[in-house]
Amino acid sequence: MPSPKKKNKFAHFVPPKIEKSLAYYKRRPAAYWKRQGENMAINLFKYVYETVPAYRQFIRKQGFKGRISTIKDFHKLPLLSKDAYLRSHDYLDLFPNRDVSVATTISATSGSTGEPFFFPRDEDHDRQYEHASEIFLINQFELDKKRTLGIVGFGLGIWIGGIFTYKNFNKIAQKGYDFTLVPVGTNKELYLQSFKKFAPFYDQVILMGYPPFIKDILDSGKEAGIHWSKHNLRILTAAEGYSEEFRNYIVKKSGLKNPLNDIINIYGTVEQGTIAHETSLSNLIRKIANENPKVFLSIFPHATNIPTIGQYYPQSIFFEEVGKKVVATNYGSSIPLIRYEFADLGGVITYDEMMRKLKKSGISIEKEILKYKIFDQILKLPFVYVYARSDLGMVFRGANIYPEEIRSIIDSYPLNRYLTGKATMMKRENKKMDRILEIHVELKKGIRWNPKLKKQITESIILGLRTHNSEYAYLYSTEPSKVIPLIIGWPYQHSKYFNSQGKQRWVKK
């Protein structure tokens, strides 16, 4: 008989029963969660320093010699990154005790910014997502009250999304919930067929997938003979953020009953798993900030577009805001990471601080919570937000332009009547050696490219960038002809720039 899998000595996350957890998240004060996060970070550092050869070598090279006993000491530790840490050491040296065999699943990055990197995980790491999922499935999707069908539309390969979701949701289903999963992947026809076949047997259906894929599914419903509004839908997305215009389009198309509860976007990475997710409260705050410039500026002072904002669980991850970037510490895969620097631009806000910012901006959040009937869903957890990826932005004639800015424009009415919402940005040089910003957009099925549509999209993008991107606005005021983007429309699902089987490549460098 095979021996049981070895367990890591660091008990990085042991969740209590779900009922107790929900009570904690709804009642414990912000100070409690602050202590939880800081204690976890310090204890994880001590474990990693003792057991991970690469980390010990890395911080010694950085000149670190002191001991860590307080969070102030912790903040002095050097930041880690994929290139400076993960790719710069012997692979086995990244694991506690150089042991990769404790893993039960291996996932890899997509390789969009370089060669794929592999991240093994064991069951303790999966349990973090299982716990977070069970929380939002009960708290927002009423899994404990309704017969639920979940159609998994994330990629089913070595990428974390599909397998990670199916594996952990299946564990949740085995706890006694009436929860059935259909692991379809990104096959649109099979996804729609599965919905038609099984949706009538359930009280509700959770549509899961990458945001552009879910939009494509909803757009194709009528042609497939599906009337979405006749069903009780919930939507779960991941892998990328999206504008409020995109969200409103999805809500209208799907006929969601309570948009604040019924749609959740997950913030996760293959390095550290699911690290935050949208909640009813974070969705409400995002909605208010999108409609109120004063609130937007107070909460997101450096953002160029409406961020993805979620709440997180400090006992399993510790977030910091360092130089407008999000930095995280956790044991989300078999490679523990201390002060890991993402390419994500964003920030961290405690629950109490968020309440103060809203009040100072003239918002009575209690009245808004009652108005939208989400009082029972409120979790008193801290917030993390991201508004762009620094490695996916494009510097065009000195202006930083991010995919999120373009997406918020093409997701808006009336452009969303003609475009799927997918786009690819790239730069090239013309015969005069002038830099040209090209934006390739995908047309909806049945829409033909024509000069009038090209002009409309071009003008909308210029107006949107001038309004929300100060760097671009300055360039336009000095040399407008030099910064007019070249818009190129492509037929629906054209393979050159648009990926119908997974994540969209928003920037081509």
Side-chain angles (χ1 to χ4, degrees):
M1 291 288 290
S3 59
K5 284 273 186 182
K6 289 175 283 185
K7 293 286 185 181
N8 288 316
K9 292 181 180 179
F10 179 74
H12 53 280
F13 185 57
V14 181
K17 290 183 178 180
I18 200 68
E19 298 83 3
K20 192 173 184 179
S21 293
L22 266 170
Y24 277 7
Y25 300 145
K26 292 180 178 182
R27 296 171 191 164
R28 297 271 180 167
Y32 172 83
W33 296 115
K34 184 174 184 290
R35 289 193 302 271
Q36 288 284 307
E38 291 174 354
N39 291 338
M40 186 281 295
I42 293 170
N43 290 334
L44 181 59
F45 162 78
K46 292 177 180 177
Y47 172 75
V48 173
Y49 186 78
E50 290 173 1
T51 63
V52 179
Y55 187 72
R56 198 160 53 244
Q57 179 187 350
F58 178 82
I59 64 170
R60 284 176 178 173
K61 271 190 177 181
Q62 299 289 321
F64 178 81
K65 297 178 182 178
R67 299 180 64 182
I68 296 296
S69 57
T70 69
I71 199 63
K72 287 184 178 180
D73 297 333
F74 182 85
H75 289 316
K76 297 175 184 177
L77 290 169
L79 301 180
L80 307 185
S81 68
K82 189 176 291 183
D83 289 333
Y85 179 67
L86 296 177
R87 296 189 186 279
S88 300
H89 292 86
D90 180 82
Y91 188 62
L92 275 184
D93 282 346
L94 298 168
F95 295 84
N97 306 309
R98 303 187 81 247
D99 187 5
V100 71
S101 67
V102 295
T104 55
T105 309
I106 295 175
S107 298
T109 61
S110 63
S112 59
T113 57
E115 291 296 316
F117 196 92
F118 295 88
F119 290 92
R121 299 188 315 278
D122 67 28
E123 297 307 296
D124 283 342
H125 305 126
D126 282 352
R127 189 165 57 185
Q128 295 181 40
Y129 181 45
E130 179 191 339
H131 177 72
S133 300
E134 193 171 4
I135 291 296
F136 66 66
L137 287 171
I138 291 175
N139 196 47
Q140 289 178 242
F141 288 179
E142 301 179 295
L143 182 69
D144 55 335
K145 300 174 183 176
K146 298 180 183 295
R147 292 175 300 171
T148 303
L149 176 70
I151 308 180
V152 182
F154 301 110
L156 296 171
I158 197 166
W159 309 282
I160 192 170
I163 299 299
F164 195 44
T165 300
Y166 174 73
K167 183 179 178 181
N168 288 290
F169 279 30
N170 182 254
K171 288 180 183 177
I172 293 170
Q174 293 176 37
K175 294 181 179 181
Y177 300 104
D178 293 324
F179 191 21
T180 305
L181 296 165
V182 191
V184 175
T186 56
N187 184 319
K188 186 176 77 172
E189 286 70 29
L190 187 56
Y191 198 105
L192 292 167
Q193 289 171 8
S194 300
F195 184 94
K196 289 182 69 174
K197 179 71 175 178
F198 293 103
F201 308 142
Y202 293 83
D203 300 323
Q204 65 176 358
V205 182
I206 305 174
L207 304 182
M208 310 180 211
Y210 307 117
F213 179 74
I214 292 298
K215 182 176 182 294
D216 199 12
I217 289 292
L218 293 172
D219 286 342
S220 303
K222 186 175 181 181
E223 186 180 344
I226 298 172
H227 299 283
W228 300 114
S229 60
K230 293 184 179 180
H231 300 272
N232 185 18
L233 299 182
R234 313 282 182 136
I235 293 175
L236 181 67
T237 56
E240 56 190 56
Y242 40 82
S243 66
E244 277 296 281
E245 290 78 11
F246 181 94
R247 184 187 297 271
N248 293 337
Y249 181 92
I250 294 298
V251 167
K252 185 177 180 181
K253 201 79 177 180
S254 57
L256 298 185
K257 307 297 187 295
N258 186 335
L260 299 182
N261 278 339
D262 298 349
I263 182 168
I264 295 172
N265 194 30
I266 288 173
Y267 177 32
T269 70
V270 66
E271 296 100 322
Q272 297 183 309
T274 293
I275 50 184
H277 61 80
E278 290 182 337
T279 61
S280 305
L281 179 57
S282 73
N283 285 340
L284 173 59
I285 292 169
R286 188 179 196 255
K287 174 181 170 63
I288 293 170
N290 191 60
E291 296 170 352
N292 188 320
K294 185 177 180 181
V295 174
F296 186 104
L297 186 61
S298 174
I299 299 175
F300 314 121
H302 307 296
T304 57
N305 53 276
I306 189 72
T308 295
I309 178 170
Q311 293 180 271
Y312 64 94
Y313 303 89
Q315 72 272 42
S316 62
I317 188 161
F318 180 69
F319 277 115
E320 300 171 74
E321 180 181 338
V322 180
K324 300 181 185 178
K325 286 187 178 180
V326 172
V327 171
T329 295
N330 89 329
Y331 201 176
S333 78
S334 296
I335 301 176
L337 294 169
I338 307 295
R339 304 199 79 207
Y340 186 72
E341 181 181 12
F342 297 104
D344 293 331
L345 301 175
V348 186
I349 307 174
T350 67
Y351 181 88
D352 286 349
E353 185 183 1
M354 179 67 81
M355 297 302 107
R356 285 194 295 269
K357 285 177 178 289
L358 290 167
K359 186 176 182 179
K360 192 173 180 180
S361 300
I363 301 298
S364 173
I365 194 64
E366 295 83 3
K367 288 183 179 179
E368 296 294 324
I369 287 170
L370 292 173
K371 174 183 173 182
Y372 288 98
K373 301 178 181 179
I374 59 169
F375 179 80
D376 292 336
Q377 283 72 46
I378 302 302
L379 307 179
K380 293 186 176 180
L381 292 168
F383 299 84
V384 61
Y385 69 88
V386 293
Y387 60 89
R389 284 183 61 89
S390 60
D391 62 340
L392 291 183
M394 178 170 288
V395 180
F396 176 60
R397 300 180 71 88
N400 288 283
I401 298 175
Y402 296 102
E404 291 83 357
E405 296 175 301
I406 303 301
R407 292 173 62 189
S408 67
I409 297 166
I410 64 176
D411 283 338
S412 302
Y413 180 86
L415 297 188
N416 59 22
R417 294 169 56 191
Y418 315 111
L419 305 177
T420 65
K422 294 180 184 179
T424 298
M425 291 196 306
M426 59 186 293
K427 290 185 295 188
R428 68 173 179 84
E429 293 176 342
N430 62 15
K431 292 180 180 180
K432 295 181 180 180
M433 302 305 292
D434 288 329
R435 283 290 176 92
I436 303 295
L437 173 62
E438 284 187 1
I439 302 176
H440 299 262
V441 295
E442 183 185 38
L443 302 173
K444 280 189 173 181
K445 195 173 184 179
I447 299 296
R448 291 189 176 184
W449 189 239
N450 61 75
K452 183 179 178 182
L453 182 56
K454 178 181 178 180
K455 183 174 183 289
Q456 183 179 5
I457 297 169
T458 302
E459 290 176 348
S460 295
I461 288 177
I462 291 173
L463 177 62
L465 289 177
R466 288 178 64 194
T467 303
H468 300 291
N469 187 314
S470 59
E471 294 174 332
Y472 181 89
Y474 173 76
L475 292 175
Y476 190 88
S477 70
T478 56
E479 291 186 288
S481 63
K482 297 286 188 181
V483 294
I484 295 175
L486 176 62
I487 312 300
I488 302 171
W490 293 82
Y492 178 66
Q493 290 192 344
H494 194 285
S495 60
K496 186 169 183 177
Y497 292 109
F498 308 104
N499 185 356
S500 61
Q501 297 300 311
K503 294 182 184 179
Q504 170 63 20
R505 188 177 184 183
W506 299 100
V507 177
K508 184 176 181 181
K509 296 185 178 180

